[in-house]
Amino acid sequence: MLTAGAVCTFFFTQRTDMKKTYTHLARATLLAALAYSLTGAQAADHMAGHGMPQATAMASGAGAESDAMALTEGVIRKVDASTKKITIKHEEIKNLEMPGMTMVFQVKDESLLNTVKAGDKVKFRAERQAGALVVVRLEVMP
């Protein structure tokens, strides 16, 4: 015959076991998610040593790496060597999540200003540095 004490002991034991089961299940799920997220990065590291350039894009998501290094097309509107600034009418700047517009940029290297003039079609790379938008790479298009 079952006594009240035996029934309470049974349910308490089951409840404790269930808590442990849920705790173990939660830990296993987190570890699986962590292992899954690391798999792509480890594969990229492994493939990078074998001369496979697509490894970086695979680990960081499709196109994320190419967007990070992409050049933006634009047209030079004004070059101001005295202030080390350049005005460019540009397409969308993906790495800055900026729509196309005309704006003034600082230049990282003053010598870039000597390579362009108003009206030149260019490809350029702009980055946010210390709160300012700075052109770090500039190529005249043929």
Side-chain angles (χ1 to χ4, degrees):
M1 177 189 258
L2 289 175
T3 64
V7 171
C8 288
T9 302
F10 173 78
F11 283 115
F12 179 75
T13 304
Q14 292 299 315
R15 186 173 176 192
T16 302
D17 288 343
M18 289 296 282
K19 280 185 177 180
K20 287 180 183 177
T21 301
Y22 285 128
T23 302
H24 290 305
L25 183 60
R27 287 180 183 163
T29 302
L30 287 173
L31 287 174
L34 179 62
Y36 179 77
S37 68
L38 291 177
T39 302
Q42 289 171 343
D45 289 344
H46 177 72
M47 284 191 256
H50 297 285
M52 296 184 181
Q54 70 274 18
T56 305
M58 186 179 86
S60 59
E65 184 68 21
S66 62
D67 285 349
M69 296 309 296
L71 296 179
T72 303
E73 291 188 15
V75 177
I76 303 297
R77 293 294 186 215
K78 181 180 176 184
V79 177
D80 189 349
S82 65
T83 60
K84 299 180 187 174
K85 294 183 180 179
I86 190 169
T87 305
I88 305 174
K89 179 179 180 183
H90 62 80
E91 295 178 352
E92 176 187 11
I93 303 176
K94 292 181 182 181
N95 64 301
L96 297 175
E97 298 179 358
M98 182 178 296
M101 64 179 82
T102 301
M103 61 184 300
V104 178
F105 295 90
Q106 295 178 3
V107 291
K108 182 177 181 178
D109 183 2
E110 189 177 351
S111 67
L112 293 175
L113 298 174
N114 300 327
T115 63
V116 294
K117 62 185 179 311
D120 284 348
K121 291 183 180 181
V122 295
K123 287 186 177 183
F124 69 100
R125 166 96 179 145
E127 297 177 354
R128 192 175 310 276
Q129 296 180 355
L133 296 176
V134 180
V135 172
V136 296
R137 185 174 168 191
L138 184 64
E139 301 173 3
V140 178
M141 294 173 56

PDB file of all heavy atoms in Angstrom, residues 38-65:
ATOM      1  N   LEU A  38      30.380  27.923 -34.805  1.00  0.00           N
ATOM      2  CA  LEU A  38      31.829  27.863 -34.964  1.00  0.00           C
ATOM      3  C   LEU A  38      32.241  27.034 -36.173  1.00  0.00           C
ATOM      4  O   LEU A  38      33.320  27.218 -36.713  1.00  0.00           O
ATOM      5  CB  LEU A  38      32.477  27.278 -33.706  1.00  0.00           C
ATOM      6  CG  LEU A  38      32.415  28.153 -32.465  1.00  0.00           C
ATOM      7  CD1 LEU A  38      33.029  27.427 -31.285  1.00  0.00           C
ATOM      8  CD2 LEU A  38      33.103  29.474 -32.695  1.00  0.00           C
ATOM      9  N   THR A  39      31.396  26.141 -36.608  1.00  0.00           N
ATOM     10  CA  THR A  39      31.745  25.260 -37.713  1.00  0.00           C
ATOM     11  C   THR A  39      32.122  26.038 -38.960  1.00  0.00           C
ATOM     12  O   THR A  39      33.128  25.751 -39.598  1.00  0.00           O
ATOM     13  CB  THR A  39      30.581  24.294 -38.023  1.00  0.00           C
ATOM     14  OG1 THR A  39      30.285  23.560 -36.846  1.00  0.00           O
ATOM     15  CG2 THR A  39      30.940  23.333 -39.127  1.00  0.00           C
ATOM     16  N   GLY A  40      31.363  27.062 -39.322  1.00  0.00           N
ATOM     17  CA  GLY A  40      31.662  27.860 -40.507  1.00  0.00           C
ATOM     18  C   GLY A  40      32.982  28.594 -40.378  1.00  0.00           C
ATOM     19  O   GLY A  40      33.780  28.630 -41.307  1.00  0.00           O
ATOM     20  N   ALA A  41      33.259  29.164 -39.214  1.00  0.00           N
ATOM     21  CA  ALA A  41      34.510  29.889 -39.004  1.00  0.00           C
ATOM     22  C   ALA A  41      35.701  28.938 -39.056  1.00  0.00           C
ATOM     23  O   ALA A  41      36.736  29.258 -39.638  1.00  0.00           O
ATOM     24  CB  ALA A  41      34.482  30.620 -37.667  1.00  0.00           C
ATOM     25  N   GLN A  42      35.551  27.750 -38.450  1.00  0.00           N
ATOM     26  CA  GLN A  42      36.644  26.787 -38.479  1.00  0.00           C
ATOM     27  C   GLN A  42      36.890  26.293 -39.892  1.00  0.00           C
ATOM     28  O   GLN A  42      38.031  26.126 -40.308  1.00  0.00           O
ATOM     29  CB  GLN A  42      36.328  25.613 -37.555  1.00  0.00           C
ATOM     30  CG  GLN A  42      36.389  25.983 -36.096  1.00  0.00           C
ATOM     31  CD  GLN A  42      35.872  24.890 -35.188  1.00  0.00           C
ATOM     32  OE1 GLN A  42      35.190  23.977 -35.632  1.00  0.00           O
ATOM     33  NE2 GLN A  42      36.201  24.979 -33.920  1.00  0.00           N
ATOM     34  N   ALA A  43      35.835  26.086 -40.660  1.00  0.00           N
ATOM     35  CA  ALA A  43      35.985  25.652 -42.045  1.00  0.00           C
ATOM     36  C   ALA A  43      36.692  26.729 -42.854  1.00  0.00           C
ATOM     37  O   ALA A  43      37.556  26.434 -43.678  1.00  0.00           O
ATOM     38  CB  ALA A  43      34.626  25.332 -42.660  1.00  0.00           C
ATOM     39  N   ALA A  44      36.359  27.982 -42.595  1.00  0.00           N
ATOM     40  CA  ALA A  44      37.005  29.078 -43.312  1.00  0.00           C
ATOM     41  C   ALA A  44      38.487  29.136 -42.975  1.00  0.00           C
ATOM     42  O   ALA A  44      39.326  29.316 -43.858  1.00  0.00           O
ATOM     43  CB  ALA A  44      36.335  30.405 -42.958  1.00  0.00           C
ATOM     44  N   ASP A  45      38.822  28.978 -41.688  1.00  0.00           N
ATOM     45  CA  ASP A  45      40.226  28.977 -41.286  1.00  0.00           C
ATOM     46  C   ASP A  45      40.975  27.826 -41.946  1.00  0.00           C
ATOM     47  O   ASP A  45      42.094  27.982 -42.408  1.00  0.00           O
ATOM     48  CB  ASP A  45      40.360  28.865 -39.758  1.00  0.00           C
ATOM     49  CG  ASP A  45      39.930  30.131 -39.050  1.00  0.00           C
ATOM     50  OD1 ASP A  45      39.825  31.185 -39.716  1.00  0.00           O
ATOM     51  OD2 ASP A  45      39.679  30.063 -37.834  1.00  0.00           O
ATOM     52  N   HIS A  46      40.355  26.690 -41.986  1.00  0.00           N
ATOM     53  CA  HIS A  46      40.984  25.516 -42.582  1.00  0.00           C
ATOM     54  C   HIS A  46      41.194  25.725 -44.083  1.00  0.00           C
ATOM     55  O   HIS A  46      42.260  25.449 -44.609  1.00  0.00           O
ATOM     56  CB  HIS A  46      40.130  24.271 -42.328  1.00  0.00           C
ATOM     57  CG  HIS A  46      40.672  23.029 -42.976  1.00  0.00           C
ATOM     58  ND1 HIS A  46      41.799  22.400 -42.503  1.00  0.00           N
ATOM     59  CD2 HIS A  46      40.269  22.342 -44.067  1.00  0.00           C
ATOM     60  CE1 HIS A  46      42.060  21.360 -43.275  1.00  0.00           C
ATOM     61  NE2 HIS A  46      41.135  21.295 -44.224  1.00  0.00           N
ATOM     62  N   MET A  47      40.167  26.224 -44.785  1.00  0.00           N
ATOM     63  CA  MET A  47      40.268  26.403 -46.234  1.00  0.00           C
ATOM     64  C   MET A  47      41.181  27.552 -46.609  1.00  0.00           C
ATOM     65  O   MET A  47      41.797  27.534 -47.665  1.00  0.00           O
ATOM     66  CB  MET A  47      38.875  26.630 -46.833  1.00  0.00           C
ATOM     67  CG  MET A  47      38.067  25.374 -46.936  1.00  0.00           C
ATOM     68  SD  MET A  47      36.606  25.664 -47.917  1.00  0.00           S
ATOM     69  CE  MET A  47      35.383  25.740 -46.651  1.00  0.00           C
ATOM     70  N   ALA A  48      41.289  28.560 -45.751  1.00  0.00           N
ATOM     71  CA  ALA A  48      42.123  29.715 -46.063  1.00  0.00           C
ATOM     72  C   ALA A  48      43.575  29.284 -46.256  1.00  0.00           C
ATOM     73  O   ALA A  48      44.288  29.822 -47.082  1.00  0.00           O
ATOM     74  CB  ALA A  48      42.020  30.759 -44.958  1.00  0.00           C
ATOM     75  N   GLY A  49      44.009  28.299 -45.515  1.00  0.00           N
ATOM     76  CA  GLY A  49      45.366  27.789 -45.652  1.00  0.00           C
ATOM     77  C   GLY A  49      45.582  27.009 -46.929  1.00  0.00           C
ATOM     78  O   GLY A  49      46.704  26.679 -47.284  1.00  0.00           O
ATOM     79  N   HIS A  50      44.527  26.708 -47.637  1.00  0.00           N
ATOM     80  CA  HIS A  50      44.629  25.936 -48.865  1.00  0.00           C
ATOM     81  C   HIS A  50      44.347  26.783 -50.094  1.00  0.00           C
ATOM     82  O   HIS A  50      44.016  26.257 -51.153  1.00  0.00           O
ATOM     83  CB  HIS A  50      43.660  24.742 -48.825  1.00  0.00           C
ATOM     84  CG  HIS A  50      43.987  23.777 -47.727  1.00  0.00           C
ATOM     85  ND1 HIS A  50      45.047  22.914 -47.795  1.00  0.00           N
ATOM     86  CD2 HIS A  50      43.407  23.577 -46.514  1.00  0.00           C
ATOM     87  CE1 HIS A  50      45.099  22.200 -46.674  1.00  0.00           C
ATOM     88  NE2 HIS A  50      44.131  22.594 -45.888  1.00  0.00           N
ATOM     89  N   GLY A  51      44.437  28.102 -49.942  1.00  0.00           N
ATOM     90  CA  GLY A  51      44.261  28.998 -51.082  1.00  0.00           C
ATOM     91  C   GLY A  51      42.847  29.049 -51.611  1.00  0.00           C
ATOM     92  O   GLY A  51      42.622  29.158 -52.803  1.00  0.00           O
ATOM     93  N   MET A  52      41.859  28.965 -50.741  1.00  0.00           N
ATOM     94  CA  MET A  52      40.466  29.015 -51.162  1.00  0.00           C
ATOM     95  C   MET A  52      39.851  30.325 -50.707  1.00  0.00           C
ATOM     96  O   MET A  52      39.437  30.457 -49.568  1.00  0.00           O
ATOM     97  CB  MET A  52      39.690  27.823 -50.581  1.00  0.00           C
ATOM     98  CG  MET A  52      40.168  26.506 -51.091  1.00  0.00           C
ATOM     99  SD  MET A  52      39.136  25.205 -50.449  1.00  0.00           S
ATOM    100  CE  MET A  52      39.917  23.798 -51.170  1.00  0.00           C
ATOM    101  N   PRO A  53      39.781  31.318 -51.587  1.00  0.00           N
ATOM    102  CA  PRO A  53      39.304  32.643 -51.187  1.00  0.00           C
ATOM    103  C   PRO A  53      37.848  32.677 -50.775  1.00  0.00           C
ATOM    104  O   PRO A  53      37.434  33.550 -50.047  1.00  0.00           O
ATOM    105  CB  PRO A  53      39.538  33.495 -52.430  1.00  0.00           C
ATOM    106  CG  PRO A  53      39.588  32.528 -53.566  1.00  0.00           C
ATOM    107  CD  PRO A  53      40.141  31.254 -52.994  1.00  0.00           C
ATOM    108  N   GLN A  54      37.032  31.737 -51.236  1.00  0.00           N
ATOM    109  CA  GLN A  54      35.620  31.754 -50.884  1.00  0.00           C
ATOM    110  C   GLN A  54      35.389  31.391 -49.425  1.00  0.00           C
ATOM    111  O   GLN A  54      34.308  31.543 -48.910  1.00  0.00           O
ATOM    112  CB  GLN A  54      34.801  30.822 -51.793  1.00  0.00           C
ATOM    113  CG  GLN A  54      35.042  29.347 -51.578  1.00  0.00           C
ATOM    114  CD  GLN A  54      36.234  28.801 -52.368  1.00  0.00           C
ATOM    115  OE1 GLN A  54      37.090  29.533 -52.823  1.00  0.00           O
ATOM    116  NE2 GLN A  54      36.297  27.510 -52.534  1.00  0.00           N
ATOM    117  N   ALA A  55      36.411  30.943 -48.733  1.00  0.00           N
ATOM    118  CA  ALA A  55      36.252  30.535 -47.342  1.00  0.00           C
ATOM    119  C   ALA A  55      35.793  31.693 -46.473  1.00  0.00           C
ATOM    120  O   ALA A  55      34.953  31.527 -45.608  1.00  0.00           O
ATOM    121  CB  ALA A  55      37.566  29.964 -46.805  1.00  0.00           C
ATOM    122  N   THR A  56      36.326  32.881 -46.678  1.00  0.00           N
ATOM    123  CA  THR A  56      35.946  34.033 -45.868  1.00  0.00           C
ATOM    124  C   THR A  56      34.490  34.386 -46.083  1.00  0.00           C
ATOM    125  O   THR A  56      33.754  34.625 -45.137  1.00  0.00           O
ATOM    126  CB  THR A  56      36.825  35.239 -46.208  1.00  0.00           C
ATOM    127  OG1 THR A  56      38.184  34.844 -46.059  1.00  0.00           O
ATOM    128  CG2 THR A  56      36.526  36.407 -45.309  1.00  0.00           C
ATOM    129  N   ALA A  57      34.053  34.414 -47.328  1.00  0.00           N
ATOM    130  CA  ALA A  57      32.664  34.750 -47.615  1.00  0.00           C
ATOM    131  C   ALA A  57      31.731  33.698 -47.039  1.00  0.00           C
ATOM    132  O   ALA A  57      30.663  34.022 -46.540  1.00  0.00           O
ATOM    133  CB  ALA A  57      32.452  34.860 -49.118  1.00  0.00           C
ATOM    134  N   MET A  58      32.136  32.444 -47.057  1.00  0.00           N
ATOM    135  CA  MET A  58      31.301  31.378 -46.526  1.00  0.00           C
ATOM    136  C   MET A  58      31.107  31.544 -45.015  1.00  0.00           C
ATOM    137  O   MET A  58      30.026  31.390 -44.493  1.00  0.00           O
ATOM    138  CB  MET A  58      31.941  30.014 -46.811  1.00  0.00           C
ATOM    139  CG  MET A  58      31.063  28.847 -46.412  1.00  0.00           C
ATOM    140  SD  MET A  58      31.839  27.293 -46.796  1.00  0.00           S
ATOM    141  CE  MET A  58      32.835  27.045 -45.344  1.00  0.00           C
ATOM    142  N   ALA A  59      32.177  31.895 -44.314  1.00  0.00           N
ATOM    143  CA  ALA A  59      32.096  32.002 -42.863  1.00  0.00           C
ATOM    144  C   ALA A  59      31.314  33.226 -42.421  1.00  0.00           C
ATOM    145  O   ALA A  59      30.639  33.205 -41.410  1.00  0.00           O
ATOM    146  CB  ALA A  59      33.502  32.055 -42.263  1.00  0.00           C
ATOM    147  N   SER A  60      31.393  34.319 -43.162  1.00  0.00           N
ATOM    148  CA  SER A  60      30.767  35.557 -42.718  1.00  0.00           C
ATOM    149  C   SER A  60      29.408  35.801 -43.341  1.00  0.00           C
ATOM    150  O   SER A  60      28.794  36.811 -43.091  1.00  0.00           O
ATOM    151  CB  SER A  60      31.699  36.727 -43.025  1.00  0.00           C
ATOM    152  OG  SER A  60      31.944  36.777 -44.409  1.00  0.00           O
ATOM    153  N   GLY A  61      28.953  34.911 -44.171  1.00  0.00           N
ATOM    154  CA  GLY A  61      27.660  35.083 -44.808  1.00  0.00           C
ATOM    155  C   GLY A  61      27.845  35.469 -46.254  1.00  0.00           C
ATOM    156  O   GLY A  61      28.820  36.097 -46.624  1.00  0.00           O
ATOM    157  N   ALA A  62      26.906  35.098 -47.080  1.00  0.00           N
ATOM    158  CA  ALA A  62      27.018  35.325 -48.515  1.00  0.00           C
ATOM    159  C   ALA A  62      27.110  36.801 -48.827  1.00  0.00           C
ATOM    160  O   ALA A  62      26.226  37.574 -48.511  1.00  0.00           O
ATOM    161  CB  ALA A  62      25.824  34.713 -49.239  1.00  0.00           C
ATOM    162  N   GLY A  63      28.217  37.198 -49.421  1.00  0.00           N
ATOM    163  CA  GLY A  63      28.391  38.566 -49.890  1.00  0.00           C
ATOM    164  C   GLY A  63      28.827  39.561 -48.834  1.00  0.00           C
ATOM    165  O   GLY A  63      29.138  40.687 -49.162  1.00  0.00           O
ATOM    166  N   ALA A  64      28.861  39.178 -47.580  1.00  0.00           N
ATOM    167  CA  ALA A  64      29.219  40.142 -46.538  1.00  0.00           C
ATOM    168  C   ALA A  64      30.652  40.618 -46.705  1.00  0.00           C
ATOM    169  O   ALA A  64      30.932  41.808 -46.574  1.00  0.00           O
ATOM    170  CB  ALA A  64      29.029  39.535 -45.147  1.00  0.00           C
ATOM    171  N   GLU A  65      31.560  39.710 -47.010  1.00  0.00           N
ATOM    172  CA  GLU A  65      32.954  40.088 -47.185  1.00  0.00           C
ATOM    173  C   GLU A  65      33.137  40.938 -48.432  1.00  0.00           C
ATOM    174  O   GLU A  65      33.861  41.921 -48.422  1.00  0.00           O
ATOM    175  CB  GLU A  65      33.838  38.837 -47.254  1.00  0.00           C
ATOM    176  CG  GLU A  65      35.325  39.140 -47.347  1.00  0.00           C
ATOM    177  CD  GLU A  65      35.898  39.757 -46.087  1.00  0.00           C
ATOM    178  OE1 GLU A  65      35.300  39.616 -45.017  1.00  0.00           O
ATOM    179  OE2 GLU A  65      36.955  40.406 -46.180  1.00  0.00           O
TER     180      GLU A  65
END
